[in-house]
Amino acid sequence: MEEYYWDTKLDYLKRTRDLYYNDDYFEFLVKFVWKLSKPVHIIDFGCGYGYLGLKLLPLLPSGSTYTGIDKGNQLISKAKELFQDAPYETEFIVSDTNEIELEKKYDIAVSQAFLLHMSEPKKILRKMVNSVVDGGKIICFEPHWIAGMSSYYLDGFDQSQIVQLGMLQKLYEEGAKQTGRDGNIGAKLPHYLSELGVKNIECRVSDKVNFLNPEDNEKDKEGLFHSLKEDGVGEKPEHKEAYITSLINRGVSLDDAVEQYDSVQLFSQVFNINSSLAWAPGMKITFGEITNK
C-alpha cells in the first residue's frame, strides 16, 4: 500500500503550526467572537495530529468533546498518544473524508489548512455542513497564499526582489484550475459557504506576525529560523534548468520563469539565521451558522 503523504510530514506539521496563530487569538475567538459558553461537540476534518483539538479544548466549556478524522494512520496514532492522558472526551477516526458518511450530530465542524489540499473542496464543505446540527457552526482556518506572499519584509531588500507576486498569483490560479487544489481558498470561503446556505458568515484574519530578530538570543532565533525554513521560507530552488522548465510547462513565459527563478534563488541565498525578517501569513478564519430555517 502506498504511504500516505501527510503521514511522512508529522515533524513538519508539529514544527510549523505555531507560525500561523497566537494562542491568545484562539482564546479571543472562543470567548468574544464565537461566544461558546456551553459544552460543544466538535468534529475536525483532516485533523492531523489533533492540533486544533489541543488548542481549542482547554478554552472550551467543560464537557466539550472532540472528534478528529484523518486519512493518516500515523497522524491519528500520534493524536491518540497526545490526548491519552488529557482530561477530555475524544474520538479519532482513520478515514478518507471524501468517503466517510457522518451523522448530523455535531455542534461545530472545523478544518485547519486542509481544504486547500482537496481537489473537490466544495464537496468536503458540504459534508462539514451536513454533519452539524441546526444552530451549530462551521469554522474553517484556511490560507490565502497570495496575501501571505505579499506580507514578507526582509531587511535590506525590496520585496519585488525576493517575491514575484504577479507571477505567483497566476501560478496559484492556474494550479487551482488544473487540480482543484487551491491555496487561496481562504479568501473564497465566505462565498462558498453562502452558496451552501450557511448564515451569518464572518471572516477574520489571524493576527500572527513572525519576526526573526537578529538581536534575539540564539535559542529563540534558531527555533523560529528552522520553523520558517521547514515551511519553505527562503527555500533553495531545484536545479535551474529543471525549475525553469517546470514553470514553462505550467504556461509561464521563458522571461518570467527566469525572473521567478532568480528571485527564489536570491531569497534562498540571503535569508539566514541573522536576517531581520517579518512575515504575516494572514490565515483566514471563516465561520457561519448552520440553520434549516
Side-chain angles (χ1 to χ4, degrees), residues 259-278:
E259 187 173 13
Q260 171 65 8
Y261 174 85
D262 289 343
S263 65
V264 173
Q265 177 72 356
L266 174 63
F267 200 171
S268 72
Q269 290 174 338
V270 299
F271 180 54
N272 58 69
I273 196 169
N274 293 310
S275 295
S276 180
L277 174 87

Side-chain angles (χ1 to χ4, degrees), residues 11-17 19 210 212 218-235 271-274 277 279:
D11 289 341
Y12 156 77
L13 292 172
K14 292 173 66 177
R15 286 195 291 262
T16 59
R17 297 308 86 185
L19 293 174
N210 299 288
L212 182 65
E218 289 300 315
K219 183 178 180 181
D220 289 343
K221 285 196 300 183
E222 184 176 352
L224 178 55
F225 176 73
H226 287 297
S227 291
L228 290 166
K229 291 290 287 185
E230 185 84 7
D231 211 39
V233 178
E235 184 178 22
F271 180 54
N272 58 69
I273 196 169
N274 293 310
L277 174 87
W279 173 48

Side-chain angles (χ1 to χ4, degrees), residues 9-246:
K9 294 295 183 178
L10 177 59
D11 289 341
Y12 156 77
L13 292 172
K14 292 173 66 177
R15 286 195 291 262
T16 59
R17 297 308 86 185
D18 288 342
L19 293 174
Y20 293 89
Y21 312 100
N22 289 309
D23 287 347
D24 58 0
Y25 196 70
F26 279 114
E27 185 176 12
F28 167 73
L29 291 170
V30 168
K31 293 183 178 180
F32 300 106
V33 179
W34 303 326
K35 300 177 181 178
L36 301 176
S37 59
K38 298 179 181 179
V40 289
H41 189 3
I42 294 179
I43 183 165
D44 186 355
F45 284 69
C47 67
Y49 64 90
Y51 171 81
L52 276 185
L54 292 168
K55 293 296 182 181
L56 293 176
L57 281 171
L59 303 172
L60 293 171
S62 178
S64 295
T65 64
Y66 175 80
T67 299
I69 304 172
D70 202 282
K71 190 177 178 179
N73 282 286
Q74 293 182 43
L75 291 171
I76 291 295
S77 293
K78 186 62 178 180
K80 290 179 178 178
E81 176 187 327
L82 290 171
F83 281 90
Q84 64 181 356
D85 295 323
Y88 309 113
E89 181 181 336
T90 60
E91 178 185 12
F92 293 98
I93 303 169
V94 178
S95 180
D96 187 334
T97 52
N98 283 297
E99 299 174 359
I100 193 170
E101 297 296 331
L102 296 162
E103 294 181 57
K104 192 179 188 71
K105 66 177 185 178
Y106 301 95
D107 299 300
I108 301 175
V110 300
S111 73
Q112 198 281 136
F114 174 66
L115 296 173
L116 79 157
H117 299 296
M118 298 292 101
S119 59
E120 296 181 279
K122 291 184 180 181
K123 176 182 175 181
I124 302 299
L125 280 170
R126 185 174 295 279
K127 281 181 177 281
M128 293 175 71
V129 168
N130 289 342
S131 71
V132 175
V133 298
D134 189 43
K137 297 182 183 296
I138 179 171
I139 304 171
C140 302
F141 299 72
E142 296 288 340
H144 183 197
W145 277 354
I146 199 63
M149 295 304 295
S150 71
S151 297
Y152 283 105
Y153 174 70
L154 181 63
D155 186 45
F157 297 88
D158 292 333
Q159 198 204 39
S160 59
Q161 292 180 271
I162 58 173
V163 179
Q164 299 295 316
L165 288 173
M167 162 73 66
L168 291 171
Q169 187 176 33
K170 292 177 182 177
L171 285 174
Y172 296 157
E173 290 171 350
E174 189 58 34
K177 291 175 184 176
Q178 293 179 2
T179 67
R181 295 186 288 274
D182 188 356
N184 288 317
I185 193 170
K188 302 173 183 178
L189 281 170
H191 176 72
Y192 291 169
L193 292 182
S194 179
E195 288 183 327
L196 291 172
V198 176
K199 304 298 182 183
N200 302 319
I201 298 167
E202 296 184 43
C203 188
R204 301 294 177 105
V205 180
S206 172
D207 66 351
K208 181 76 173 189
V209 179
N210 299 288
F211 177 39
L212 182 65
N213 185 354
E215 302 302 321
D216 282 348
N217 64 64
E218 289 300 315
K219 183 178 180 181
D220 289 343
K221 285 196 300 183
E222 184 176 352
L224 178 55
F225 176 73
H226 287 297
S227 291
L228 290 166
K229 291 290 287 185
E230 185 84 7
D231 211 39
V233 178
E235 184 178 22
K236 185 177 181 179
E238 59 185 292
H239 187 271
K240 183 174 183 178
E241 289 186 5
Y243 187 93
I244 290 173
T245 298
S246 70

